[in-house]
Amino acid sequence: MEALQITDSWPVENVAVAALSPAAELGRRGDAARVFRWASVTKPVVALAALVAAEEGTIDLDEAAGPPGSTIRHLLAHASGLPFEAGPPIAKPGTRRIYSNAGFEALAEALAEHAEIPFAEYLSKAVLEPLGMNAELRESPAGGLHGTLEDLIAFVRELFAPTLIAPETLAEAVSVQFPGLAGVIPDLGRFDPNDWGLGFELKDGKEPHFSGTLTSPRTFGHWGGSGTFFWVDPKRNLALAVLTDLEFGDWAKEAWPPFSDAVVGKNQP
């Protein structure tokens, strides 16, 4: 795919990228075996582990977890009231969309307690091994996965046609949780509403958006502070997975949307 060559102009030392449809890999570029730090692209993988746990009955999405009045659902949807990093709540649960690493750390603690095994072990058994991923959680469950493009491709494919959870569960995970909440996405600004699913960021009506202007409002995904992102557009049956080793910054804000538009433009009927 010619559009993937655009990444050659990015100011990054290493980049690996792939475009996918439900039936095929449309193209890739870069070293697919190189290990990258995924940063917050970790969160949707952790969310999938929580959804597996919910289907198994290990946890209940609406059971108490995190600060008083919060549930696992609040933690997954960045609606628990916890701040970005560890600290006391700064809002009542369900009143603001506060993007929170601390919330995902609380989520992992709750899941590990219920499963009675370390969270990294549960993540591996519930998600990584079944999907054939060699990615490794080395640090916080909020952003500590390290893996290859092959690993990210395996995860994104699962989001086209889930095998670990029911399609209805995935549909819930990529639908708006606690509709109408406004909030700030770090380094991007305030959105009202700032729609989010269960661990997945939702494009809906957000402008600007890292997935560009041509992806549909149904697009979901995530991006990470290490210069990583993926999105899946179920309306267009298209996905894009990107790993780099350059911290997120102005370069990414400028490069990612037109790159995504180029990929979508090459794959429109």
Side-chain angles (χ1 to χ4, degrees), residues 49-71:
L51 297 174
V52 171
E55 286 199 351
E56 291 177 342
T58 302
I59 60 173
D60 187 305
L61 294 179
D62 295 309
E63 71 180 60
S70 171
T71 66

Side-chain angles (χ1 to χ4, degrees), residues 22-70:
E25 183 177 308
L26 304 175
R28 68 167 64 184
R29 198 164 184 85
D31 184 355
R34 182 181 181 85
V35 174
F36 292 85
R37 181 173 70 89
W38 288 14
S40 285
V41 170
T42 301
K43 289 184 175 74
V45 186
V46 168
L48 182 57
L51 297 174
V52 171
E55 286 199 351
E56 291 177 342
T58 302
I59 60 173
D60 187 305
L61 294 179
D62 295 309
E63 71 180 60
S70 171

Side-chain angles (χ1 to χ4, degrees), residues 18-232:
L20 309 166
S21 73
E25 183 177 308
L26 304 175
R28 68 167 64 184
R29 198 164 184 85
D31 184 355
R34 182 181 181 85
V35 174
F36 292 85
R37 181 173 70 89
W38 288 14
S40 285
V41 170
T42 301
K43 289 184 175 74
V45 186
V46 168
L48 182 57
L51 297 174
V52 171
E55 286 199 351
E56 291 177 342
T58 302
I59 60 173
D60 187 305
L61 294 179
D62 295 309
E63 71 180 60
S70 171
T71 66
I72 287 176
R73 187 183 301 273
H74 285 104
L75 295 173
L76 281 165
H78 297 290
S80 71
L82 288 173
F84 181 63
E85 298 294 357
I90 56 177
K92 293 181 179 179
T95 62
R96 287 169 55 192
R97 192 82 66 190
I98 303 170
Y99 185 85
S100 178
N101 288 338
F104 266 72
E105 290 164 355
L107 166 70
E109 290 174 5
L111 201 159
E113 181 179 350
H114 283 283
E116 299 182 338
I117 59 174
F119 176 75
E121 183 178 345
Y122 187 89
L123 179 67
S124 182
K125 291 183 176 180
V127 176
L128 304 182
E129 292 176 11
L131 295 183
M133 297 170 63
N134 293 315
E136 178 184 8
L137 185 64
R138 300 180 185 176
E139 299 128 9
S140 165
L145 264 181
H146 293 245
T148 66
L149 181 65
E150 292 286 5
D151 293 325
L152 188 53
I153 288 171
F155 177 70
V156 171
R157 285 197 182 283
E158 174 70 4
L159 303 177
F160 275 128
T163 60
L164 303 183
I165 57 175
E168 296 80 5
T169 302
L170 178 61
E172 180 180 5
V174 298
S175 64
V176 183
Q177 305 293 308
F178 310 103
L181 297 188
V184 173
I185 300 179
D187 298 320
L188 290 182
R190 187 177 188 274
F191 294 89
D192 188 2
N194 185 4
D195 288 342
W196 221 276
L198 296 173
F200 295 91
E201 191 270 340
L202 309 181
K203 181 181 182 181
D204 285 347
K206 293 191 183 88
E207 292 183 4
H209 194 259
F210 73 92
S211 71
T213 63
L214 299 181
T215 51
S216 78
R218 293 176 57 196
T219 300
F220 62 89
H222 217 289
W223 62 273
S226 57
T228 56
F229 75 85
F230 79 91
W231 54 254
V232 177

